Amino acid sequence: FFRDPEVFEVMRREVLPDLATRRKSIRIWCAGCATGEEPYSIAILAHELIALHPDLNVTIYATDIDTVALEKAKAGIYDRKTLENVDEHQLRKHFISRDDGTFEVRPHLKEIIKFRQHDLMSGVPIARYLDAVTCRNVTIYFTERQKNELARLFHGALAADGYYIMGKTEYLGREVEHLFASYNITQKIFRKAA
């Protein structure tokens, strides 16, 4: 949870509040979500934002090609080590302590996440007019051609001025860098270019 905390801090302080001032409904695609830690981390931030903007609706589409990983994500059960970046207040508020020492994500977070099986190389986005796409530490396994195709896919899926958040070691290829404007280069956060 909250891998690379600095990225999530920028999302908490800048990205999500910006979207909340411009939209009544925020839609985020967490692509390559694996076992769910990232979409649940974003859901925690979204829940905090909803407390400030009660009329706000947030939907997180969390996708992965691996159905076994998705089943674990849907269950939302994690050990304490996985939750080391979750503070005590967040732990009590968003998780149920289980008898076996694990923690289960509470229903109020599960309700805003839609887990789905999806192949990023299909060329079809999970939805259109998205406000943000996070795809972190996924493209490191892809070829340059696949990375460029994926950047084009995300660009097409994003609404105007939508955010694209990459992993710290990832980069936009020269063929596609014109599709996005840098928002926070240190944290690899970009915005869809016109």
Side-chain angles (χ1 to χ4, degrees):
F1 281 73
F2 298 107
R3 181 177 178 185
D4 302 320
E6 304 84 7
V7 174
F8 287 97
E9 196 55 33
V10 174
M11 288 181 72
R12 175 195 317 258
R13 290 185 180 197
E14 299 173 33
V15 173
L16 292 175
D18 171 58
L19 292 172
T21 62
R22 297 188 287 129
R23 311 251 196 287
K24 291 259 188 235
S25 181
I26 297 174
R27 299 177 341 130
I28 300 168
W29 179 12
C30 185
C33 73
T35 53
E37 291 88 339
E38 184 158 308
Y40 285 125
S41 297
I42 296 169
I44 289 169
L45 301 182
H47 194 267
E48 293 172 3
L49 190 65
I50 291 167
L52 301 173
H53 304 270
D55 294 338
L56 187 66
N57 180 42
V58 178
T59 303
I60 300 169
Y61 301 97
T63 64
D64 203 277
I65 195 168
D66 184 343
T67 55
V68 174
L70 283 172
E71 286 306 313
K72 180 171 173 37
K74 287 177 190 175
I77 298 171
Y78 300 95
D79 60 34
R80 186 64 180 106
K81 180 162 177 36
T82 305
L83 298 165
E84 66 186 352
N85 289 333
V86 175
D87 66 39
E88 285 301 319
H89 172 74
Q90 291 171 328
L91 191 65
R92 285 190 306 277
K93 187 172 187 174
H94 302 296
F95 295 86
I96 300 164
S97 180
R98 295 165 38 108
D99 292 341
D100 63 1
T102 60
F103 295 84
E104 183 174 355
V105 175
R106 290 189 184 269
H108 67 266
L109 291 186
K110 289 182 178 182
E111 289 167 1
I112 64 174
I113 302 175
K114 297 180 186 309
F115 288 102
R116 295 193 183 136
Q117 196 273 338
H118 182 266
D119 180 357
L120 288 174
M121 291 291 94
S122 70
V124 179
I126 197 71
R128 300 249 185 229
Y129 306 106
L130 296 161
D131 300 299
V133 173
T134 66
C135 186
R136 301 176 60 239
N137 307 304
V138 174
T139 65
I140 54 175
Y141 305 107
F142 292 2
T143 66
E144 289 302 310
R145 183 181 62 77
Q146 289 173 319
K147 290 176 188 179
N148 291 341
E149 288 173 8
L150 198 56
R152 287 185 192 97
L153 176 74
F154 293 154
H155 181 268
L158 283 166
D161 288 334
Y163 291 91
Y164 174 31
I165 304 166
M166 303 177 76
K168 291 274 195 112
T169 61
E170 296 167 323
Y171 59 90
L172 288 169
R174 295 179 71 84
E175 286 182 33
V176 293
E177 63 187 3
H178 68 283
L179 297 175
F180 298 93
S182 178
Y183 176 79
N184 183 318
I185 195 66
T186 306
Q187 303 308 327
K188 297 292 182 91
I189 301 174
F190 300 88
R191 292 191 82 170
K192 180 178 180 174

